[in-house]
Amino acid sequence: MALAIRRSRDSAVLFLVDAVWHSAEPALACHADRIEEARPVLQQMGAEDPESELREIVNSVHLESLQKDEPLFSWKYRIPIFLAITIGMFNQLSGINAILYYLNDIFAAAGFSKLSGDLQAVAVGGMNLLATLLGMSVIDKLGRKTLLLIGSVGTALCLAGVARVFLTISTRNICSGF
């Protein structure tokens, strides 16, 4: 335990030193009208053409300054903000993280052997990867809303399946007297 704390502390100190050492950021320098400070940073970072990158940064900062500032939490953004918060909330409340974390225990409680449970955990991880890759490849064709609805239905069906498995196991255990 002490070793883990020491490693975490050492990592944090190294990160802090690195952050101070590499604190020069070309975009931040351009925001503050310190363009001459950004050029050597771009060269130090190994940019192939630091002048063209510097021009791109200055142009993007200029375009950004032309846009009007409006508060994020204004009335016209209420629905997108509500959707973003509720989608994230339902993602966490669906329990998928707990299921993925306790996958081996869940399969063991469902009556599978240790080896079978481990292999099924690998299969679930592989399916998760395949579903992510499939979603990334079709999101532009189907759209986010359609993909979100399909994913919600799939999540509901899978959680209902997990509930059914454990309901039948608990019913079987109650009937057999544990």
Side-chain angles (χ1 to χ4, degrees):
M1 179 70 174
L3 181 64
I5 292 172
R6 195 175 317 124
R7 283 184 184 164
S8 296
R9 182 197 64 214
D10 294 346
S11 297
V13 168
L14 284 174
F15 180 75
L16 179 65
V17 168
D18 186 53
V20 170
W21 182 268
H22 293 101
S23 62
E25 172 67 34
L28 292 177
C30 290
H31 270 288
D33 290 328
R34 299 184 320 226
I35 296 170
E36 291 307 315
E37 290 179 27
R39 187 173 287 113
V41 173
L42 286 170
Q43 291 169 341
Q44 182 184 11
M45 289 171 54
E48 291 181 20
D49 188 9
E51 291 302 319
S52 68
E53 284 199 35
L54 188 59
R55 276 193 303 277
E56 283 181 35
I57 293 172
V58 169
N59 289 339
S60 70
V61 167
H62 178 68
L63 287 174
E64 195 175 290
S65 67
L66 294 177
Q67 294 176 349
K68 64 178 184 174
D69 289 333
E70 54 183 302
L72 176 64
F73 294 106
S74 62
W75 186 251
K76 74 178 193 178
Y77 296 128
R78 71 186 184 284
I79 292 176
I81 290 173
F82 171 76
L83 289 174
I85 290 171
T86 54
I87 288 170
M89 192 173 72
F90 285 128
N91 184 31
Q92 292 300 315
L93 294 176
S94 71
I96 192 65
N97 291 333
I99 288 176
L100 291 175
Y101 184 78
Y102 292 107
L103 208 53
N104 291 333
D105 297 332
I106 290 170
F107 281 127
F112 294 100
S113 68
K114 170 106 174 92
L115 179 63
S116 177
D118 290 345
L119 290 175
Q120 288 180 2
V122 170
V124 168
M127 286 304 298
N128 195 2
L129 175 67
L130 287 175
T132 302
L133 294 175
L134 177 70
M136 287 171 44
S137 65
V138 299
I139 192 165
D140 291 331
K141 295 177 187 121
L142 297 178
R144 287 191 173 125
K145 186 176 182 178
T146 305
L147 211 55
L148 182 63
L149 291 172
I150 291 169
S152 297
V153 169
T155 300
L157 290 174
C158 289
L159 288 174
V162 168
R164 180 173 166 82
V165 165
F166 280 98
L167 181 65
T168 57
I169 288 174
S170 64
T171 306
R172 196 176 332 138
N173 288 340
I174 290 172
C175 292
S176 65
F178 295 94

